[in-house]
Amino acid sequence: MQRRVRTRTIAALSALGLTGVLGGCGAGGDSSDVTLTLVAADYGTGEADSSEKYWADLVERYETDHPGVRIDVSVYSWNDVDRKVKEMVDAGDPPDMAQIGAYADYAAEGRLYRAGDLLSIPVQADFLSQLSAAGEVNSVQYGMPFAASTRVLFYNKDLFAEAGLTPPKTWDELAANAEALAARGVTYPYALPLGPEEAQAETMQWLLSGDGGYTDLAGTYGIDSTENVETFSWLRDELVGKGLTGPVAPGKLDRAKAFEAFAAGDVGMLNGHPSLMEMAEKKGVEFGMVPTPGADGASPATLGVADWMMAFKENGHRDQVGDFLDFVYSEENVLDFSREYDLLPVTGSASRTMAASERDKDLKPFLDQLPTSELYPVGNTSWAAVNAAVKKQIGKAVAPGGSPAGVLGTLQATATRAESAE
């Protein structure tokens, strides 16, 4: 789904009055009569809260004070946005900016501006350190974090109370709870979304909970490690194989549909990020949140996710892009976006404000986890190919008769080939 945000007036330089200190100062050409294009992902759940509205408001405020540069924003669903940007790049017509899920392949091809050539020093320095590091390729930052989240286990308090259950701390307790919920007719005792929308997230959360992951401590892919195979074998045998994951095959269940089912009261447990809180509250679902269970206790690591802003060099406009992004990353705008979509701020200033704010207290469990969370290996240019392969294939690992070792081995082979092509 595409939505377009077309500005009604004109916008331009010096949004924060920092033109003189921009890293890219002096190399963008005349600031007048320039149109900047931005392709962005939709974080909303429908027309009422589409990201189109966030960008329309932000662009209008930027325009009001700065005549000269037009901002043209196109908003696509997460199912389409990465593919759309790739199509534009392949056609030789990349946007000036893209806010999507991965940046490293474009950086490796030399297509992106360095963050330091765009942002003012205070803005770049305000990014949370682990997110800045995750935005680097060969120790140079190209990816600018735009939104972040962590994961916890959500559970339906009413369904748990009716079944006399307590929140699980281990896999075995989770499976036992799921069996009790299934016996009471709960549609999705545990929702396992391994469909193509966001399978890489559910997959990594489970791998981490089994003391594994996509990569080892040295950053080398180990997708078919013994720990990972054991994790997916357990999922296949103890949850999916016993009918505890609901009527939709995990490989066909998208995260958005799983969240909708939870908000409808049809899910006993699932891994969720902060935006699920508001969805559930709006539908009157009483929920609890606990750390993700692990094989023998709480998961040793938590999934952290960051989405990325990047700027392509193809069209020039370095100064204008940098100035607009300084505005995008102001504390006010970062907080507005984070609060609108129940996500975590990517900057220190906004994070400190949120941590101290009573209105944001529900996000504190997620905020507390972010500094020590583990992110996807987004700095590897191979990650885009691995990510796409996980989304397409991982559901087969838990299907009836599926082979976790075979599927994970195929994914490892994909990662090896992708790294060899770097």
Side-chain angles (χ1 to χ4, degrees):
M1 175 176 59
Q2 175 187 5
R3 300 186 177 94
R4 294 186 73 79
V5 181
R6 288 212 178 261
T7 60
R8 295 193 300 272
T9 55
I10 306 293
L13 293 178
S14 302
L16 299 180
L18 295 170
T19 305
V21 297
L22 285 175
C25 184
D30 191 346
S31 64
S32 63
D33 301 321
V34 170
T35 296
L36 300 180
T37 54
L38 167 62
V39 174
D42 193 354
Y43 290 81
T45 57
E47 293 294 329
D49 64 349
S50 167
S51 296
E52 177 185 46
K53 294 187 176 182
Y54 171 80
W55 287 110
D57 174 72
L58 184 145
V59 166
E60 184 173 1
R61 287 186 286 112
Y62 185 75
E63 294 172 342
T64 298
D65 294 332
H66 306 90
V69 174
R70 179 183 177 89
I71 311 295
D72 186 353
V73 184
S74 298
V75 176
Y76 294 86
S77 77
W78 272 110
N79 286 333
D80 301 321
V81 67
D82 291 270
R83 173 182 54 79
K84 179 62 178 177
V85 171
K86 185 177 186 304
E87 290 173 352
M88 295 172 72
V89 172
D90 290 346
D93 186 28
D96 292 289
M97 295 164 282
Q99 185 271 297
I100 54 179
Y103 67 88
D105 49 345
Y106 298 126
E109 294 169 359
R111 296 180 180 274
L112 302 181
Y113 284 115
R114 297 180 298 180
D117 288 338
L118 296 167
L119 303 173
S120 64
I121 292 172
V123 170
Q124 186 179 11
D126 197 24
F127 288 132
L128 295 173
S129 59
Q130 78 274 22
L131 298 181
S132 289
E136 295 178 353
V137 173
N138 296 325
S139 301
V140 177
Q141 185 180 1
Y142 296 94
M144 293 162 278
F146 183 75
S149 67
T150 56
R151 298 292 196 273
V152 298
L153 183 76
F154 282 72
Y155 65 96
N156 184 307
K157 283 187 172 182
D158 290 336
L159 296 179
F160 266 56
E162 291 167 4
L165 302 175
T166 57
K169 297 179 180 179
T170 67
W171 289 357
D172 287 344
E173 290 176 4
L174 186 149
N177 283 355
E179 288 184 359
L181 293 167
R184 298 184 65 85
V186 175
T187 306
Y188 293 90
Y190 178 84
L192 182 66
L194 296 176
E197 180 201 12
E198 204 182 35
Q200 81 283 1
E202 184 74 9
T203 297
M204 184 166 172
Q205 184 64 70
W206 275 100
L207 296 182
L208 291 173
S209 72
D211 205 22
Y214 289 122
T215 59
D216 60 22
L217 294 176
T220 302
Y221 283 107
I223 300 174
D224 60 349
S225 69
T226 299
E227 294 84 357
N228 291 345
V229 171
E230 289 177 351
T231 294
F232 267 79
S233 296
W234 187 90
L235 284 172
R236 180 197 61 190
D237 298 338
E238 301 301 325
L239 289 185
V240 182
K242 293 183 178 179
L244 302 179
T245 54
V248 180
K252 296 185 180 300
L253 180 64
D254 282 338
R255 187 270 313 164
K257 293 298 183 183
F259 277 21
E260 289 174 7
F262 186 85
D266 295 329
V267 175
M269 299 170 283
L270 84 170
N271 288 323
H273 55 62
S275 65
L276 182 56
M277 294 189 300
E278 184 176 4
M279 290 180 63
E281 288 168 354
K282 285 182 177 178
K283 294 297 183 71
V285 172
E286 292 287 333
F287 62 88
M289 300 181 294
V290 294
T292 303
D296 301 308
S299 175
T302 300
L303 170 65
V305 176
D307 301 322
W308 302 94
M309 179 74 76
M310 65 212 70
F312 289 89
K313 298 190 292 187
E314 183 85 12
N315 302 319
H317 307 148
R318 185 180 74 181
D319 289 351
Q320 295 93 333
V321 169
D323 190 80
F324 177 66
L325 290 178
D326 267 7
F327 181 70
V328 168
Y329 285 106
S330 69
E331 180 181 336
E332 174 190 359
N333 289 328
V334 171
L335 279 171
D336 284 349
F337 180 84
S338 301
R339 286 167 168 164
E340 175 66 25
Y341 297 106
D342 286 322
L343 292 168
L344 304 181
V346 296
T347 62
S349 59
S351 294
R352 289 188 293 272
T353 297
M354 181 173 281
S357 173
E358 180 67 19
R359 67 178 288 188
D360 301 310
K361 63 181 181 180
D362 288 344
L363 284 170
K364 194 172 188 307
F366 301 94
L367 273 173
D368 290 344
Q369 293 185 104
L370 186 58
T372 57
S373 62
E374 292 194 23
L375 279 70
Y376 305 127
V378 290
N380 295 351
T381 57
S382 54
W383 172 242
V386 175
N387 183 27
V390 169
K391 290 180 177 181
K392 184 177 180 180
Q393 299 178 32
I394 195 63
K396 301 174 185 176
V398 297
S403 170
V407 172
L408 295 176
T410 298
L411 292 172
Q412 177 64 30
T414 297
T416 300
R417 287 194 301 271
E419 287 209 305
S420 297
E422 291 182 3

